[in-house]
Amino acid sequence: MFEKIFDMDISVDRVIAFVGAGGKTTLIQKMARELQENGKKVIVTTTTHMYRPDDTWNGIEVACMPCEEEPGKVKGLPKEEYLQLKNKCDVLLVEADGSRRKPLKVPAMYEPAIPEDADLVIGMAGEAAVGLTLEEGCHRPELAAKLLGVSVDHRIERNDLIKILKSEQGQRKEVTVKYKMVIVEKNGNYCYIKDEDRKVGFILLAAGNSRRFGGNKLLYKIDEKPMYRHVVDEIRNIENQSLFYKKIVVSQYPEILRDLEQEDYITAWNHESELGISHSIQLGIEAAKDADAWCFMVADQPYIKGKTLQNLVEEWVKSDKKIGCVSFRGRRGNPVIFAKEFYEEFMHLTGDAGGKIILQKHLDEVFYMEIVDERELEDIDRR
């Protein structure tokens, strides 16, 4: 059940950290039992404090040490011992946050204690908080009040749980890997919250040198309009104007930068276009470093449709994959979306190595959206 709910691949998601409130320890115990029934060797540990396991934990290996400062609790192992645990099991379940038995929590500056080797983080909140004031039902109510823009006397609504689960000041704080959210309902059932509000930055790459074209092709007119404007106008006319929380154009051409600055694009001037497309990509990412994902589009693809871009982003979010791209009968093309988990890989690209290299390394993480008009993928290289 849990492997399906949380889209877990145990061959990859070997260290699973639990943050938030509302029943972390209970979920860890249930997940450990299920994984054991499926033939997996499981170890449970913590990077903070958790209540000492009682008889209901019989048969589950818990690797912790006594907590002298809080009798009745156990605490995490020294780092050297913790690092050995993954080699002794198939799955390591880690309680990485404390909530003082409150059903809701917002982390302090020094929380949560997500281990560096975590592959999956599960953010949790308890429905039992609904109807209570923040003061009554939330650990660190003053931080929750600040996040939600209310007072500590505010009565918690279900939507507040979702906001906290999705917020980078809430349960998503310090998460740089795969992340899933769950609300523990009052009857003990688990309600998985789908993340459909990811911040996607749109990055328009318009810094090519147009060597084969014999001039700046991006200013070349197609149907009485500069080539790059075709893409820009399609983006401007999409139905869902909240699709991209930020739009960036990377270019070496002042005409393009000045024009798109008037359209609320963040402009990234590429003074070193000779460094290749990798440099343009990196400039774009740095301009939208706080994004959950980046949607890359090239400016020499004038027949792309705004509806195609919108559909790709919306369908990719639903897919839970880390990469998304359009394709026509198996031929991949732009636009392409990459989740922020690939930041380091992008920063190590050089020359004309682009996202294709990263995509090829992670084919199992790619969502493909088939299009019906091959012309949308056509890029103009020659007059």
Side-chain angles (χ1 to χ4, degrees):
M1 176 181 76
F2 292 117
E3 289 186 56
K4 183 176 181 180
I5 289 176
F6 295 114
D7 188 28
M8 291 159 51
D9 179 354
I10 297 306
S11 65
V12 177
D13 302 324
R14 295 191 54 224
V15 179
I16 304 174
F18 298 77
V19 299
K24 296 186 300 295
T25 306
T26 300
L27 177 56
I28 288 170
Q29 187 187 66
K30 289 180 177 179
M31 190 178 290
R33 294 279 185 212
E34 181 178 291
L35 290 168
Q36 286 179 330
E37 289 171 4
N38 292 336
K40 303 298 182 184
K41 166 69 173 175
V42 181
I43 296 178
V44 173
T45 189
T46 181
T47 52
T48 176
H49 296 169
M50 62 183 284
Y51 284 94
R52 187 185 302 278
D54 57 21
D55 292 344
T56 64
W57 287 82
N58 287 347
I60 299 174
E61 182 176 349
V62 180
C64 297
M65 56 191 295
C67 181
E68 297 81 4
E69 56 268 39
E70 289 188 87
K73 288 190 174 185
V74 291
K75 63 182 180 181
L77 298 173
K79 185 174 182 179
E80 300 75 21
E81 294 181 40
Y82 167 82
L83 291 174
Q84 297 174 22
L85 294 178
K86 190 162 68 169
N87 298 324
K88 299 177 180 179
C89 62
D90 298 310
V91 186
L92 183 61
L93 303 180
V94 185
E95 185 163 322
D97 207 0
S99 60
R100 302 289 181 183
R101 289 194 165 175
K102 297 278 189 177
L104 187 62
K105 176 187 178 172
V106 169
M109 181 178 65
Y110 51 86
E111 297 171 315
I114 298 171
E116 293 179 2
D117 59 349
D119 302 304
L120 167 65
V121 176
I122 296 177
M124 300 182 63
E127 189 184 35
V130 174
L132 302 177
T133 65
L134 288 173
E135 192 73 58
E136 295 167 336
C138 184
H139 183 40
R140 310 204 189 285
E142 68 288 347
L143 296 179
K146 183 177 179 180
L147 191 160
L148 298 171
V150 297
S151 74
V152 293
D153 296 324
H154 168 76
R155 292 206 172 271
I156 300 166
E157 301 173 1
R158 187 178 176 88
N159 196 49
D160 295 329
L161 307 186
I162 296 173
K163 287 180 181 178
I164 290 171
L165 284 169
K166 291 185 174 184
S167 172
E168 292 181 1
Q169 287 76 53
Q171 264 60 81
R172 204 166 192 159
K173 183 171 179 280
E174 305 296 337
V175 176
T176 59
V177 295
K178 183 176 174 182
Y179 177 66
K180 299 295 179 180
M181 300 169 287
V182 65
I183 291 177
V184 183
E185 298 182 330
K186 291 179 180 178
N187 61 8
N189 290 338
Y190 296 100
C191 178
Y192 169 51
I193 305 299
K194 203 165 183 65
D195 190 1
E196 297 181 353
D197 292 331
R198 304 189 75 179
K199 293 192 300 183
V200 179
F202 176 73
I203 300 175
L204 180 63
L205 301 172
N209 289 311
S210 307
R211 294 186 182 92
R212 284 176 289 180
F213 195 82
N216 184 356
K217 66 179 177 181
L218 301 180
L219 299 180
Y220 181 77
K221 289 190 176 181
I222 297 175
D223 297 331
E224 305 302 318
K225 185 162 56 176
M227 189 184 301
Y228 79 93
R229 285 293 326 184
H230 286 264
V231 177
V232 171
D233 290 347
E234 286 294 322
I235 293 295
R236 184 172 59 181
N237 294 326
I238 60 176
E239 295 175 5
N240 183 1
Q241 284 298 311
S242 63
L243 190 68
F244 302 115
Y245 89 109
K246 187 180 286 186
K247 294 181 292 187
I248 297 96
V249 56
V250 183
S251 184
Q252 61 175 313
Y253 303 112
E255 307 98 314
I256 295 175
L257 293 169
R258 282 196 300 265
D259 180 29
L260 296 192
E261 195 170 33
Q262 306 304 311
E263 303 230 5
D264 294 326
Y265 276 73
I266 294 170
T267 56
W269 197 315
N270 188 345
H271 296 282
E272 300 176 287
S273 60
E274 68 277 4
L275 294 178
I277 194 169
S278 61
H279 186 55
S280 290
I281 289 171
Q282 290 158 359
L283 288 173
I285 288 175
E286 288 299 326
K289 196 172 180 179
D290 58 337
D292 296 316
W294 305 286
C295 178
F296 295 97
M297 185 61 204
V298 290
D300 62 350
Q301 216 169 296
Y303 306 115
I304 194 72
K305 299 299 181 187
K307 187 65 175 175
T308 297
L309 273 156
Q310 178 171 327
N311 289 344
L312 173 64
V313 175
E314 292 176 346
E315 293 303 313
W316 171 76
V317 168
K318 296 176 185 176
S319 76
D320 276 342
K321 295 286 188 179
K322 295 180 182 178
I323 303 171
C325 74
V326 296
S327 66
F328 178 80
R329 296 179 182 175
R331 173 192 163 202
R332 296 189 295 263
N334 291 303
V336 184
I337 304 169
F338 288 89
K340 66 180 180 181
E341 286 87 342
F342 299 106
Y343 174 82
E344 292 297 334
E345 290 187 51
F346 274 114
M347 291 300 110
H348 284 92
L349 294 177
T350 58
D352 280 323
K356 183 177 180 180
I357 290 177
I358 297 172
L359 185 149
Q360 291 281 13
K361 287 169 58 180
H362 302 279
L363 291 175
D364 58 331
E365 284 291 349
V366 182
F367 163 74
Y368 298 99
M369 190 188 80
E370 191 73 9
I371 59 174
V372 297
D373 185 358
E374 184 179 16
R375 198 179 189 209
E376 287 195 68
L377 300 185
E378 182 180 345
D379 59 338
I380 310 298
D381 284 331
R382 291 180 171 86
R383 294 178 188 270

